[in-house]
Amino acid sequence: MRAWATFRRNHGIPCTNPVTAVAHCSAMWNSLAFRLWRAAYLRAVSSAFATVPLYRETWALHGRTDPVLVPGKTGSNGGALPADGVHRRLVDTAPLAGGSTEPDPARGLAGLLTRATHRPSHRLVVIVDSDVTRPPTGLPRGSRGCVLHPDAATAAGDEPVIREVVDTLRRGERVLTVGEGKDLDALTAALPAQLPPPDRVPHHRIDRPGTGPFGLLHDPLLGYLGVLRECGRLHVDHWHVYVRETAGGLAFTVLDRTSPRLVDVLIGGGVPGEVHACPKHGSPVIET
Amino acid sequence: MIGPPADSGSRAAVRTLQGSARAAHYEVFDPRFDPEPAYWSRLRATAGLYADWSWAALAAQAWAARTPQYVTVLHADDGPCGVVWAAWVGPPTRRHRFALTTRGGRIGGLDVRAPNNASAPGWWFADGTGQRLLTDYAPAMRDRLGGGSRLLLARQLGDTDAAAVSAPLRIVRPTEPISMLDTASFESVEHWQSELRATRRRSLTQIERTVDDDPHLEVRTGPMADTDAGEVATLLRHNAEKHHDVPIVPLPMFTGYLEHLLRQPDVVGVRYVDPVSGALRALALILDHPQWPVIRSWSTLPLHRGGRRNLYFDMYTQAVRFALASGKKGIVLGKKMTELKRTFGARTVAQHAALVPLH
């Protein structure tokens, strides 16, 4: 309970009545879950400092907080780095042991689709986004993924991806489109009118949140970070992503990908926000 | 968490050296934690140390290294009389990890070499005597680091220094020679080219004409302070990844280090850029020196990403032009490709490494 109370204090969760907190059935579970979440983040920080040049140089020369790694050096924004700065230094995001420095903007999509759509799977998942150049991986068995440039979404007929969408819909199978709302509208308009429209989940940017009822929090550098659930809150993909409040805004860490290693990245230019526990689901949500 | 050494109340240890003929006392710095000594710029100028000895670059280099690194300054009564840079190599060293501790283990050895530069020695003594590594430096470091320091490896020893290393059980072996190109006797680039083999001369002339005629290529030689260090790091990585033919691959230059290094006024770049976008296509980093600048790094983009053929050869023409324009004695071309460098008129200078047990 102490850990949960500490988390609540640190994250500014407005729960002043301890009796209510204790009575909350998910509080005990949350206590352990948040400790594990935090431990995964600390492992990522430690690993990044020991093996990844970008974080080694930044945190050693300028410092960071929560945790402080070099006594007396606390840096700015708690050691979080703006996404454009990280993008300029991608070459230094691979650990010394080697690895890719290519970001994967489709990272994390597969794990969020079920919660984003309330369906177990779709035959075809189409990402309509100019930043995404490689199809998503890890989709459920029987699902296929592909990407479509927004400019090609209006080129009805002769674009292979659109032909594939049409064929799949004609067979009566489900198609899911993911991307910016206007791009999804353009794709739907380019399809034959007699076909049922594909399912759609729009992208939400941290600096341009949407309204729902569906949505995925996306960043071109870090990939998919969270999902808008039926409670109306933006849930962090806490199995793969950690969020931290800093003076520069919400800083995101990808926990499960070591190269490129992305730790404490301020996306959307640094958007202030808070991390809470969802009263309904108990898992972390962000409010900006 | 990495903290400063426990015994560094004033950060640098200042001790008195007993029994030395010249050095009276010494200081040992860990650039990760110790501030720049007040006399450092003056010492750098006196010793003719390259830009990679600037304190900011040393600190960035030391943080992003696999082993702890020490800078030792030997003082005589009239001021600093020697400076040595060494990496402490001990059992906890890991190939794929940065140094995790301040000390790096109780038992180990000192690897004396220039920071990030294989073409220059890692020490300077006012009287030019390499033997001081054993008579002054080694006792100082044993005193500072304790009895666990068992070996001293000194690299980039010339013939004279290698012969002067007199210690029982020492091992001295020749290492890869460095190439040096004397330019003081030439009046112009054409004069230099006229001394080269006819095929090489024709080739250089043709390459230079091709570069001049390329509307998407412009050669800029000068300071690097305005350059994006991230772009430079990305470019240099193309070449660094080609040279993995050694047992322990040196770490490449990272962006943070380059930010500090490129800010130094004595760093000169030969840049091949796209005149419209300003994008770097190829780069030679030259660490300037009053007499012997050294070509520290070279890299070019692959052809499919905008690189051009034969820029490596043109770089030598540009380097000679820079040396002639600034009145240098010559240029240090560094290690490897000795035969090729000989076709540019370079001579080779033998190098040795000495391994000395410390008692």
Side-chain angles (χ1 to χ4, degrees), chain B residues 145-157:
Chain B
L145 299 171
S149 47
R150 310 306 297 245
L151 287 169
L152 184 144
L153 172 65
R155 307 200 217 186
Q156 317 313 331
L157 291 164

Side-chain angles (χ1 to χ4, degrees), chain A residues 141-229:
Chain A
R141 181 177 298 210
S143 289
R144 287 177 294 124
C146 57
V147 294
L148 180 66
H149 195 279
D151 296 342
T154 55
D158 55 350
E159 171 62 39
V161 173
I162 294 185
R163 281 206 304 273
E164 185 67 23
V165 171
V166 170
D167 291 346
T168 308
L169 290 172
R170 281 203 176 118
R171 290 196 300 269
E173 295 171 327
R174 302 199 78 91
V175 173
L176 174 67
T177 56
V178 182
E180 294 287 336
K182 60 179 173 47
D183 297 332
L184 301 185
D185 292 340
L187 174 60
T188 305
L191 298 175
Q194 67 272 22
L195 290 175
D199 295 341
R200 49 182 283 159
V201 179
H203 281 172
H204 288 211
R205 304 280 182 185
I206 189 114
D207 50 344
R208 286 182 277 124
T211 52
F214 299 110
L216 287 163
L217 178 61
H218 182 250
D219 178 75
L221 180 64
L222 280 75
Y224 291 90
L225 302 168
V227 59
L228 197 63
R229 294 185 66 176

Side-chain angles (χ1 to χ4, degrees), chain A residues 46-54 56-57 60-62 68-71 73 88-92 95-98, chain B residues 1-4 32-33 59-60 63-64 95-100 228 230 233-234 237 251 254-257 259-260:
Chain A
S46 169
S47 163
F49 187 63
T51 65
V52 184
L54 171 62
R56 180 66 169 199
E57 289 187 330
L61 296 173
H62 306 293
V68 173
L69 295 173
V70 179
K73 292 190 177 178
R88 276 200 302 275
R89 294 188 59 179
L90 274 176
V91 68
D92 289 338
L96 295 185
Chain B
M1 187 170 81
I2 296 182
R32 291 177 295 178
F33 304 105
W63 271 115
R95 184 183 301 249
H96 299 314
R97 273 185 171 268
F98 296 115
L100 285 179
D228 177 5
T234 307
R237 205 62 57 86
L251 295 179
F254 303 122
T255 308
Y257 171 76
E259 277 172 3
H260 293 290

Side-chain angles (χ1 to χ4, degrees), chain A residues 238-263:
Chain A
H238 64 280
W239 294 108
H240 307 107
V241 174
Y242 185 87
V243 192
R244 176 180 159 225
E245 295 170 14
T246 71
L250 291 173
F252 290 77
T253 298
V254 177
L255 296 171
D256 63 341
R257 188 156 293 195
T258 55
S259 187
R261 180 61 102 169
L262 299 168
V263 181

